[in-house]
Amino acid sequence: QTPLIVRFSTVIHERGSPETIRDPRGFAVKFYTREGNFDMVGNNFPVFFVRDGMKFPDMVHALKPNPKSHIQENWRILDFFSHHPESLHMFSFLFDDVGIPLNYRHMEGFGVHTFTLINKAGKATFVKFHWKPTCGVKCLIGDEAVIVGGTNHSHATKDLYDSIAAGNFPEWKLF
C-alpha cells in the first residue's frame, strides 16, 4: 500500500456550486512513495475535451460563466465545441447518464495524461491510468439530481465526509 491524498472538485463551476450540476468531476492524487511524491490528475470521463493543450484555456473560458454577468452562456459552449469536433466525444459523456455521479465514492476516475513507461529491457509502453470504485458506479438522472441538489447542494462532499467519519473508507482499484 502507498499513502496518498485525494482532492475532488467540479471542473467548470466554482467552489460551493451544487454538486448535481452536469459538470466533469476532477481529482488530484498525490502518492507518497519511497522514491518521492507522484502527482496525478484526472476526471470522471475516459476522454478529454481537447487533444491539443494549447486549446485548453479556450475551452475553460467557453465553459466558465461570463466574468461580467457571472452567468454560464450556452452559445459560448456550443461555439467552442462546433469549432473543435474532437470535443464531441467528451461532450456526449457529459450529457449521458454518467454525467452526474451519485457521489464521489461511486465515481470512476480516468487519468488525463498518457504516460510512457519503460521497462528494464528498454521497451516503452503507453499507459493511461483508470480508477474503478470497489462499491460500483452509480449516477443520478436529471430528475433525481434536481431533488438531491435541492435538498443538499454539497451532497457528494457530505457523503464522502460522513462515510470516512463512520470508518467506511472509500476504495478504488487502480488499473
Side-chain angles (χ1 to χ4, degrees), residues 1-5 30-38:
Q1 289 190 355
T2 302
L4 56 84
I5 189 165
K30 183 180 286 286
F31 296 89
Y32 298 97
T33 72
R34 290 185 299 270
E35 292 80 20
N37 296 343
F38 178 68

PDB file of all heavy atoms in Angstrom, residues 1-5 30-38:
ATOM      1  N   GLN A   1       0.830  -1.186   0.000  1.00  0.00           N
ATOM      2  CA  GLN A   1       0.000   0.000   0.000  1.00  0.00           C
ATOM      3  C   GLN A   1       0.869   1.241   0.000  1.00  0.00           C
ATOM      4  O   GLN A   1       1.938   1.267   0.592  1.00  0.00           O
ATOM      5  CB  GLN A   1      -0.909   0.015   1.217  1.00  0.00           C
ATOM      6  CG  GLN A   1      -2.003  -1.015   1.143  1.00  0.00           C
ATOM      7  CD  GLN A   1      -3.045  -0.814   2.252  1.00  0.00           C
ATOM      8  OE1 GLN A   1      -2.887   0.032   3.104  1.00  0.00           O
ATOM      9  NE2 GLN A   1      -4.083  -1.611   2.203  1.00  0.00           N
ATOM     10  N   THR A   2       0.381   2.272  -0.662  1.00  0.00           N
ATOM     11  CA  THR A   2       1.097   3.544  -0.752  1.00  0.00           C
ATOM     12  C   THR A   2       0.228   4.640  -0.140  1.00  0.00           C
ATOM     13  O   THR A   2      -0.925   4.803  -0.543  1.00  0.00           O
ATOM     14  CB  THR A   2       1.392   3.888  -2.230  1.00  0.00           C
ATOM     15  OG1 THR A   2       2.150   2.821  -2.812  1.00  0.00           O
ATOM     16  CG2 THR A   2       2.153   5.181  -2.359  1.00  0.00           C
ATOM     17  N   PRO A   3       0.768   5.396   0.817  1.00  0.00           N
ATOM     18  CA  PRO A   3      -0.027   6.505   1.364  1.00  0.00           C
ATOM     19  C   PRO A   3      -0.301   7.548   0.276  1.00  0.00           C
ATOM     20  O   PRO A   3       0.550   7.797  -0.585  1.00  0.00           O
ATOM     21  CB  PRO A   3       0.868   7.092   2.456  1.00  0.00           C
ATOM     22  CG  PRO A   3       2.033   6.198   2.592  1.00  0.00           C
ATOM     23  CD  PRO A   3       2.074   5.284   1.419  1.00  0.00           C
ATOM     24  N   LEU A   4      -1.490   8.135   0.340  1.00  0.00           N
ATOM     25  CA  LEU A   4      -1.831   9.158  -0.655  1.00  0.00           C
ATOM     26  C   LEU A   4      -2.886  10.092  -0.101  1.00  0.00           C
ATOM     27  O   LEU A   4      -3.482   9.842   0.925  1.00  0.00           O
ATOM     28  CB  LEU A   4      -2.311   8.521  -1.959  1.00  0.00           C
ATOM     29  CG  LEU A   4      -3.498   7.559  -1.921  1.00  0.00           C
ATOM     30  CD1 LEU A   4      -4.816   8.293  -1.970  1.00  0.00           C
ATOM     31  CD2 LEU A   4      -3.409   6.589  -3.073  1.00  0.00           C
ATOM     32  N   ILE A   5      -3.104  11.170  -0.820  1.00  0.00           N
ATOM     33  CA  ILE A   5      -4.180  12.104  -0.506  1.00  0.00           C
ATOM     34  C   ILE A   5      -4.884  12.439  -1.817  1.00  0.00           C
ATOM     35  O   ILE A   5      -4.243  12.499  -2.870  1.00  0.00           O
ATOM     36  CB  ILE A   5      -3.666  13.372   0.215  1.00  0.00           C
ATOM     37  CG1 ILE A   5      -4.844  14.196   0.716  1.00  0.00           C
ATOM     38  CG2 ILE A   5      -2.748  14.178  -0.673  1.00  0.00           C
ATOM     39  CD1 ILE A   5      -4.458  15.261   1.725  1.00  0.00           C
ATOM     40  N   LYS A  30      -2.068  12.607  -4.863  1.00  0.00           N
ATOM     41  CA  LYS A  30      -0.639  12.713  -4.549  1.00  0.00           C
ATOM     42  C   LYS A  30      -0.228  11.423  -3.850  1.00  0.00           C
ATOM     43  O   LYS A  30      -0.738  11.101  -2.778  1.00  0.00           O
ATOM     44  CB  LYS A  30      -0.358  13.918  -3.653  1.00  0.00           C
ATOM     45  CG  LYS A  30       1.140  14.100  -3.365  1.00  0.00           C
ATOM     46  CD  LYS A  30       1.417  15.300  -2.487  1.00  0.00           C
ATOM     47  CE  LYS A  30       1.268  16.583  -3.241  1.00  0.00           C
ATOM     48  NZ  LYS A  30       2.334  16.893  -4.166  1.00  0.00           N
ATOM     49  N   PHE A  31       0.652  10.673  -4.492  1.00  0.00           N
ATOM     50  CA  PHE A  31       1.185   9.432  -3.939  1.00  0.00           C
ATOM     51  C   PHE A  31       2.485   9.764  -3.203  1.00  0.00           C
ATOM     52  O   PHE A  31       3.353  10.437  -3.752  1.00  0.00           O
ATOM     53  CB  PHE A  31       1.506   8.426  -5.055  1.00  0.00           C
ATOM     54  CG  PHE A  31       0.314   7.970  -5.834  1.00  0.00           C
ATOM     55  CD1 PHE A  31      -0.110   8.673  -6.960  1.00  0.00           C
ATOM     56  CD2 PHE A  31      -0.379   6.836  -5.473  1.00  0.00           C
ATOM     57  CE1 PHE A  31      -1.200   8.255  -7.694  1.00  0.00           C
ATOM     58  CE2 PHE A  31      -1.474   6.406  -6.204  1.00  0.00           C
ATOM     59  CZ  PHE A  31      -1.888   7.113  -7.320  1.00  0.00           C
ATOM     60  N   TYR A  32       2.615   9.261  -1.980  1.00  0.00           N
ATOM     61  CA  TYR A  32       3.838   9.461  -1.200  1.00  0.00           C
ATOM     62  C   TYR A  32       4.627   8.152  -1.227  1.00  0.00           C
ATOM     63  O   TYR A  32       4.360   7.237  -0.453  1.00  0.00           O
ATOM     64  CB  TYR A  32       3.491   9.853   0.243  1.00  0.00           C
ATOM     65  CG  TYR A  32       2.732  11.164   0.317  1.00  0.00           C
ATOM     66  CD1 TYR A  32       1.349  11.188   0.404  1.00  0.00           C
ATOM     67  CD2 TYR A  32       3.422  12.373   0.301  1.00  0.00           C
ATOM     68  CE1 TYR A  32       0.655  12.387   0.472  1.00  0.00           C
ATOM     69  CE2 TYR A  32       2.735  13.583   0.363  1.00  0.00           C
ATOM     70  CZ  TYR A  32       1.352  13.577   0.454  1.00  0.00           C
ATOM     71  OH  TYR A  32       0.680  14.766   0.515  1.00  0.00           O
ATOM     72  N   THR A  33       5.581   8.050  -2.153  1.00  0.00           N
ATOM     73  CA  THR A  33       6.329   6.806  -2.346  1.00  0.00           C
ATOM     74  C   THR A  33       7.732   6.919  -1.758  1.00  0.00           C
ATOM     75  O   THR A  33       8.195   8.015  -1.438  1.00  0.00           O
ATOM     76  CB  THR A  33       6.447   6.462  -3.839  1.00  0.00           C
ATOM     77  OG1 THR A  33       7.369   7.368  -4.449  1.00  0.00           O
ATOM     78  CG2 THR A  33       5.089   6.534  -4.541  1.00  0.00           C
ATOM     79  N   ARG A  34       8.421   5.788  -1.656  1.00  0.00           N
ATOM     80  CA  ARG A  34       9.818   5.791  -1.185  1.00  0.00           C
ATOM     81  C   ARG A  34      10.717   6.575  -2.145  1.00  0.00           C
ATOM     82  O   ARG A  34      11.706   7.148  -1.751  1.00  0.00           O
ATOM     83  CB  ARG A  34      10.327   4.354  -1.047  1.00  0.00           C
ATOM     84  CG  ARG A  34       9.705   3.587   0.098  1.00  0.00           C
ATOM     85  CD  ARG A  34      10.336   2.210   0.273  1.00  0.00           C
ATOM     86  NE  ARG A  34      10.165   1.371  -0.904  1.00  0.00           N
ATOM     87  CZ  ARG A  34       9.129   0.562  -1.108  1.00  0.00           C
ATOM     88  NH1 ARG A  34       8.173   0.484  -0.212  1.00  0.00           N
ATOM     89  NH2 ARG A  34       9.045  -0.169  -2.187  1.00  0.00           N
ATOM     90  N   GLU A  35      10.332   6.589  -3.416  1.00  0.00           N
ATOM     91  CA  GLU A  35      11.136   7.284  -4.428  1.00  0.00           C
ATOM     92  C   GLU A  35      10.818   8.776  -4.505  1.00  0.00           C
ATOM     93  O   GLU A  35      11.486   9.518  -5.210  1.00  0.00           O
ATOM     94  CB  GLU A  35      10.910   6.651  -5.808  1.00  0.00           C
ATOM     95  CG  GLU A  35      11.458   5.246  -5.950  1.00  0.00           C
ATOM     96  CD  GLU A  35      10.533   4.183  -5.340  1.00  0.00           C
ATOM     97  OE1 GLU A  35       9.320   4.469  -5.143  1.00  0.00           O
ATOM     98  OE2 GLU A  35      11.018   3.091  -5.025  1.00  0.00           O
ATOM     99  N   GLY A  36       9.777   9.212  -3.812  1.00  0.00           N
ATOM    100  CA  GLY A  36       9.365  10.613  -3.844  1.00  0.00           C
ATOM    101  C   GLY A  36       7.868  10.718  -4.097  1.00  0.00           C
ATOM    102  O   GLY A  36       7.166   9.718  -4.175  1.00  0.00           O
ATOM    103  N   ASN A  37       7.398  11.932  -4.213  1.00  0.00           N
ATOM    104  CA  ASN A  37       5.968  12.165  -4.439  1.00  0.00           C
ATOM    105  C   ASN A  37       5.651  12.096  -5.925  1.00  0.00           C
ATOM    106  O   ASN A  37       6.450  12.504  -6.763  1.00  0.00           O
ATOM    107  CB  ASN A  37       5.559  13.530  -3.898  1.00  0.00           C
ATOM    108  CG  ASN A  37       5.730  13.611  -2.397  1.00  0.00           C
ATOM    109  OD1 ASN A  37       5.855  12.598  -1.715  1.00  0.00           O
ATOM    110  ND2 ASN A  37       5.746  14.817  -1.875  1.00  0.00           N
ATOM    111  N   PHE A  38       4.457  11.586  -6.223  1.00  0.00           N
ATOM    112  CA  PHE A  38       3.995  11.475  -7.605  1.00  0.00           C
ATOM    113  C   PHE A  38       2.579  12.019  -7.654  1.00  0.00           C
ATOM    114  O   PHE A  38       1.706  11.580  -6.913  1.00  0.00           O
ATOM    115  CB  PHE A  38       4.021  10.003  -8.050  1.00  0.00           C
ATOM    116  CG  PHE A  38       3.520   9.784  -9.443  1.00  0.00           C
ATOM    117  CD1 PHE A  38       4.229  10.250 -10.536  1.00  0.00           C
ATOM    118  CD2 PHE A  38       2.331   9.104  -9.660  1.00  0.00           C
ATOM    119  CE1 PHE A  38       3.766  10.047 -11.825  1.00  0.00           C
ATOM    120  CE2 PHE A  38       1.857   8.899 -10.942  1.00  0.00           C
ATOM    121  CZ  PHE A  38       2.580   9.371 -12.028  1.00  0.00           C
TER     122      PHE A  38
END
